[in-house]
Amino acid sequence: TTDFEFTVTNTIAAKERFRYFIKVPELAAFYNEITDYKTAEDVGVDRPEKNEIMCNIPPTPEQEEFIKKLMLFAETGDATVLGRLPLSDSEDKARMLIATDYARKMSLDMRMIDPEYGDNPGNKASICAAKIAEYYRRFAEYKGTQFVFSDLGTYKPGEWSVYAEIKRKLVEDHGIPANEIRFIQECGTQRAKDRMIADMNAGNVRILFGSTSMLGTGVNAQQRAVAIHHLDCPWRPSDLEQREGRAIRKGNEVAKLHNDNKVDVIIYAVERSLDAYKFNLLHCKQTFISQLKRGAMGLRTIDEGSSDEKSGMNYSEYVAILSGNTDLLEKAKLEKRIAAMESEHRSFNKGLGDSRARLRDITDEVEKLEIIIGKMEADNSRYAAVVQRDSEGNPVNALTLDNCQFTDEDRMGKYLQALVKNTNTHGEYVRVGEIYGFPVCIISEKAIVEGVEAVHNRFMVEGQYKYTYNNGNLAMSDTHAACMNFVNALEKLPETIRQHRERAEKKRVDVPTLEAIVSRKWGKENELKALKSELAALDRKITAELAPKKEEQDGVENKQVNTVDTPATDTKKSMVAEPQFRYRPMTNPQRPIRLIGL
C-alpha cells in the first residue's frame, strides 16, 4: 500500500511498500513449529511495568539551519553546504548513507558534527541532565539508580563525548558527586564490570551510561533502577527491549516498593530530526513482529498501520508529534480511533456470530428433543394401553421368546442367559422375542475383557426407539430378573420422557436472551464511516500539499527544456503539429545536449 512517511531528510513522501500481510494463521503456524514464544506476562514473572514518557525537544537554531543544509545536500549532492569537500563518484552513490550519518549526529548533539557549534541550553544533553537530576533527587532516600543509553557519542578517555558532557552538567550544574556517575566503557575486564554492577545494586553508583551492545545485555543491575533514558533510538525494536530489560526485570526492589512497581522510560527526540524517521522504521518493524508473535489468530490479515502495540510504543503518534505537522498528528489520531472502532466492530460481529451459532444449536437441539419426546410418548401410550398389572399395580411379565418352547420364567431366563454366552450377531439387531407387542432384540458388540477381545451381548425393547434396562445387560445369576429386564425397560419410559423435557426446558431458558442479542445492530456504523471519510479527506489534503512541490519541479524542468536552442521555426506550431525532439535538461554545463529520438 502507499502511505506517508518521513525520509532521512525529514521530508514527507508517499511511499509504497508492504504493510498488509495475508494468510497470518498459516504464517504463525509455521513460526510456532520452530519457536516457543513466551513473554514475561505469559509465565507470570514478577517485574515492574513500563511507564513510557516521550520528551519532545524543539530543535535549536543551529539544528534548524543544519536541517535545511542536510535537505539540500540529499537533493543535490552538494557536500560543500555541509562544510566538506565535493563528493567523489563512489561517495555520491552512498549519499543517503552520508546524510543519515549526519542526521543521526545532528539529532543527538551538533558538536558531534563540529565542536565549533558549542553548547546550547536547549539541546539533548542539557535536557537529559536536568531529567536525570530530577530522578536522582526524587529517589535519593532509596538510592534509586538510572540507566542512560546512547549508541552515538560514547565515552572515550580524553575526548569530548555526549556521555562526558552530560556527566559534566550533572556535576557542575546539578551538584551530583562525580563518583556516582559511571560509564560502562570504563570497564576493561569482566571483573571490573562485575564490580560496577555490584556498586550499582548497592546504590554506590547511581547513574550508569552505556551503549546497547555493552550495557543492553548481560547486566543485572536492576535492584534500585527507577528510570531509563534513551538519548537515541536504535534501529531494531529488539534493541529497545534489551535496553529496557536492564531495569524492567525481576528483582527490582526500589521500583516495586517505592515507585508503584513501575520504571519510567524517557525517550528524548528532537522534533523534525532523524528521530522521527527512526521511529517510523521502528513502527513498521515492531507492529508486525509483536502481532505475529502474540498470535492474534482470529484475523486472516495483519495491517501494520491499523493496530496499536498493546505493550509497546504508539510510534505513529510519536512520529507525528516529532514532525511538528499537525495534519500528520491528526491523521495518526484518526487512524487510532478508526482502528479502535474497527476492533470493536470485529468483536461485536464475532459475539453476534457466536450468539447466532449458539441460538441455532439450541433451537436445533430443542426441536430434536421435541421429536424424541413425541415418539417416546407414543410408545408409552401404546404400552400403557396393553400392559396388564397385578393387584398391587406391578406389571405382569408378558414375555414370549421365538425359539423357546418354555413359558415359565426359570427356563426362559436360562435360555436368555445362554443367548448372552453363545450368540454373535456381528453388530446386527436380531429379534429373539416379544413383550406387549414390542419386539425384543439382541445385539453383539466387540469389547476388550482383561486385554482380550471378546463379544458383549445386550438386549433391548424396540419401539420407535430402542429402550434398555441396566444398559441392556441381563442378570446372569437371577432368572426372574433376567426375564423382567424388558418390562422394566418399558416401565422407565415416563422417567426418560421427564428427563428429556427438563433438558429441553433448560435449553429454552437462554433462547430469549440470545434472540435479543442477535437482533441488535452495531450502533457506530455511521460514526465509523464519518471518521473514514474524514481520514480520506485529510489524506487528500496532505497529498495536495505535497503536489505543488512536484509541479514546481516539473515547471523548472519544462522551463529548462524551453530554453534550449531550437531551429528558427514556428515553435508553437511545431509543438502542436510536427514530430518533436525530446530534450534532456542540461544538468552539466560542460556536457553537450543530446537529442533523444524522434
Side-chain angles (χ1 to χ4, degrees):
T1 61
T2 302
D3 202 355
F4 301 105
E5 294 186 0
F6 285 92
T7 66
V8 293
T9 58
N10 202 54
T11 57
I12 302 168
K15 185 175 180 181
E16 184 181 77
R17 62 175 179 76
F18 289 109
R19 291 182 177 83
Y20 194 63
F21 302 88
I22 64 172
K23 296 186 178 179
V24 171
E26 289 83 357
L27 180 60
F30 173 72
Y31 176 80
N32 289 326
E33 285 180 7
I34 57 173
T35 63
D36 185 17
Y37 180 78
K38 298 290 182 186
T39 65
E41 290 76 14
D42 294 332
V43 296
V45 175
D46 181 17
R47 65 175 192 172
E49 297 177 11
K50 175 171 66 174
N51 180 35
E52 221 155 45
I53 301 170
M54 189 68 180
C55 183
N56 301 308
I57 304 172
T60 64
E62 293 84 0
Q63 286 174 325
E64 288 185 338
E65 183 64 28
F66 193 80
I67 288 172
K68 295 176 183 177
K69 294 179 180 180
L70 193 61
M71 292 172 67
L72 183 60
F73 164 72
E75 291 170 1
T76 65
D78 182 6
T80 60
V81 299
L82 300 180
R84 58 180 291 163
L85 295 174
L87 300 180
S88 65
D89 289 341
S90 59
E91 287 176 331
D92 191 57
K93 293 177 182 178
R95 185 196 309 172
M96 296 314 296
L97 281 176
I98 296 172
T100 300
D101 183 57
Y102 272 106
R104 289 177 67 206
K105 293 176 179 177
M106 179 273 297
S107 62
L108 183 59
D109 198 292
M110 288 299 297
R111 284 169 288 183
M112 294 197 63
I113 296 172
D114 189 343
E116 296 297 323
Y117 277 108
D119 194 11
N120 187 296
N123 61 21
K124 265 189 189 180
S126 300
I127 293 173
C128 180
K131 282 280 185 185
I132 293 170
E134 177 187 336
Y135 282 92
Y136 179 91
R137 289 188 293 270
R138 188 194 308 176
F139 295 96
E141 181 182 353
Y142 316 108
K143 294 186 177 181
T145 59
Q146 302 174 65
F147 292 95
V148 185
F149 284 97
S150 178
D151 293 335
L152 282 175
T154 56
Y155 171 73
K156 294 178 182 178
E159 295 183 16
W160 184 92
S161 67
V162 173
Y163 286 26
E165 177 66 6
I166 295 176
K167 179 176 180 178
R168 182 187 68 80
K169 290 176 180 291
L170 290 172
V171 174
E172 296 178 4
D173 300 343
H174 300 282
I176 296 176
N179 63 302
E180 295 184 7
I181 308 168
R182 299 292 300 276
F183 310 132
I184 196 70
Q185 288 82 2
E186 294 176 294
C187 301
T189 64
Q190 184 61 42
R191 180 176 294 179
K193 188 175 181 180
D194 292 340
R195 282 199 301 269
M196 185 178 289
I197 292 171
D199 285 340
M200 195 157 184
N201 281 326
N204 298 324
V205 173
R206 299 281 303 280
I207 301 157
L208 182 59
F209 288 76
S211 61
T212 306
S213 59
M214 293 194 67
L215 186 57
T217 57
V219 175
N220 296 317
Q222 71 274 14
Q223 293 181 15
R224 298 175 182 272
V226 294
I228 295 172
H229 303 264
H230 294 298
L231 283 174
D232 66 354
C233 182
W235 291 107
R236 298 180 300 182
S238 58
D239 289 342
L240 208 60
E241 292 178 6
Q242 285 294 335
R243 288 179 174 188
E244 292 164 0
R246 297 317 94 212
I248 303 172
R249 65 192 299 120
K250 186 177 180 180
N252 189 335
E253 298 299 327
V254 171
K256 184 176 182 179
L257 298 175
H258 307 293
N259 198 31
D260 298 327
N261 204 25
K262 291 181 180 178
V263 170
D264 289 349
V265 177
I266 303 97
I267 300 168
Y268 299 86
V270 175
E271 297 172 0
R272 304 187 294 284
S273 73
L274 183 66
D275 294 332
Y277 175 70
K278 295 182 76 173
F279 275 122
N280 197 79
L281 288 180
L282 279 186
H283 166 62
C284 300
K285 298 174 184 178
Q286 175 70 22
T287 307
F288 181 73
I289 293 170
S290 61
Q291 287 177 352
L292 180 68
K293 286 183 175 181
R294 295 184 181 280
M297 295 299 100
L299 300 177
R300 293 289 307 164
T301 60
I302 284 182
D303 181 356
E304 70 167 32
S306 67
S307 299
D308 288 330
E309 296 74 26
K310 294 182 180 178
S311 61
M313 296 185 293
N314 187 349
Y315 294 109
S316 295
E317 284 196 67
Y318 286 175
V319 168
I321 291 169
L322 290 172
S323 71
N325 188 314
T326 56
D327 287 340
L328 283 181
L329 180 56
E330 186 62 29
K331 182 176 183 287
K333 290 180 179 178
L334 280 174
E335 286 174 343
K336 185 176 181 181
R337 288 178 62 191
I338 289 171
M341 291 188 71
E342 286 182 335
S343 176
E344 180 185 332
H345 197 189
R346 285 194 297 268
S347 299
F348 177 85
N349 286 337
K350 185 178 184 301
L352 199 64
D354 292 344
S355 297
R356 281 175 179 159
R358 190 178 171 199
L359 179 61
R360 184 169 56 251
D361 291 343
I362 289 176
T363 303
D364 291 346
E365 189 170 353
V366 169
E367 288 178 357
K368 290 176 183 178
L369 287 172
E370 289 295 341
I371 293 171
I372 292 170
I373 290 169
K375 291 182 176 181
M376 285 185 174
E377 285 182 334
D379 285 340
N380 189 50
S381 298
R382 175 185 164 193
Y383 168 68
V386 297
V387 67
Q388 299 175 11
R389 300 185 181 276
D390 59 21
S391 58
E392 296 180 357
N394 297 318
V396 175
N397 191 358
L399 177 66
T400 59
L401 299 176
D402 295 345
N403 298 318
C404 180
Q405 58 184 345
F406 304 108
T407 57
D408 61 289
E409 279 190 348
D410 184 53
R411 281 191 262 192
M412 283 196 300
K414 290 179 180 178
Y415 176 80
L416 291 170
Q417 291 166 349
L419 288 178
V420 173
K421 295 178 181 179
N422 304 318
T423 303
N424 191 343
T425 68
H426 301 287
E428 301 291 332
Y429 290 97
V430 176
R431 175 186 164 110
V432 297
E434 184 179 298
I435 184 167
Y436 289 117
F438 291 89
V440 174
C441 303
I442 186 174
I443 185 171
S444 302
E445 300 168 336
K446 291 182 180 180
I448 303 297
V449 179
E450 296 180 354
V452 179
E453 187 174 299
V455 175
H456 178 66
N457 286 304
R458 298 192 303 124
F459 291 86
M460 55 206 65
V461 179
E462 189 171 3
Q464 295 194 59
Y465 291 102
K466 292 178 173 64
Y467 308 108
T468 64
Y469 179 77
N470 192 29
N471 199 29
N473 298 310
L474 288 186
M476 299 301 292
S477 60
D478 188 339
T479 55
H480 170 72
C483 290
M484 289 296 293
N485 185 284
F486 312 106
V487 72
N488 287 339
L490 293 172
E491 286 289 307
K492 280 178 55 184
L493 267 172
E495 176 61 20
T496 303
I497 292 170
R498 185 190 66 79
Q499 291 175 359
H500 278 71
R501 285 196 181 281
E502 285 184 357
R503 186 177 173 186
E505 289 303 319
K506 286 182 180 179
K507 294 290 181 183
R508 285 194 187 95
V509 169
D510 293 332
V511 170
T513 303
L514 291 172
E515 287 177 340
I517 291 174
V518 300
S519 64
R520 287 189 304 176
K521 293 184 178 180
W522 194 56
K524 298 182 180 179
E525 197 76 51
N526 292 334
E527 183 180 351
L528 180 58
K529 288 180 180 178
L531 288 175
K532 287 184 175 180
S533 297
E534 188 177 347
L535 179 61
L538 194 56
D539 275 336
R540 289 193 296 271
K541 179 184 176 185
I542 296 171
T543 304
E545 289 174 352
L546 294 177
K549 296 180 181 179
K550 185 175 185 304
E551 292 170 2
E552 183 180 342
Q553 292 170 359
D554 292 343
V556 171
E557 292 179 4
N558 292 336
K559 184 177 180 181
Q560 289 173 334
V561 169
N562 292 336
T563 59
V564 176
D565 293 336
T566 58
T569 58
D570 186 347
T571 305
K572 182 175 181 182
K573 179 180 177 182
S574 174
M575 294 294 287
V576 175
E578 300 295 330
Q580 295 300 303
F581 292 111
R582 292 188 294 111
Y583 296 108
R584 177 176 293 173
M586 183 183 294
T587 57
N588 188 337
Q590 298 177 353
R591 295 178 60 187
I593 300 169
R594 290 191 297 163
L595 305 181
I596 312 298
L598 280 176

